[in-house]
Amino acid sequence: MGRKKEEKNMLKNFSSENRERIYDAAKNNTKKNEKGLTVIDKDDPWRKYSAPKLELKREYNYS
């Protein structure tokens, strides 16, 4: 089995075995406002992250 496939299976197994713990950790680390909506603080480092922009090329072949 290839290394990437093995790592993928390990993550899948870990996630399956620890599903409730992962959910609880995510739930406890998520801030909510008074309406119960998920919010991100203005100074949260995550807000400063910008994903790499992908350029989409459209190539048409009309032949």
Side-chain angles (χ1 to χ4, degrees), residues 26-27 29-41 44 46-47:
K27 186 176 175 183
N29 287 317
T30 301
K31 292 186 179 189
K32 304 222 177 199
N33 65 13
E34 60 279 352
K35 294 181 181 179
L37 300 173
T38 302
V39 294
I40 301 170
D41 290 334
D44 191 307
W46 183 85
R47 291 179 70 115

Side-chain angles (χ1 to χ4, degrees), residues 6 8-9 11 20 24 26 32 49 60:
E6 185 176 322
K8 186 177 178 181
N9 285 336
L11 179 60
E20 302 253 340
D24 288 341
K32 304 222 177 199
Y49 173 78
Y60 298 97

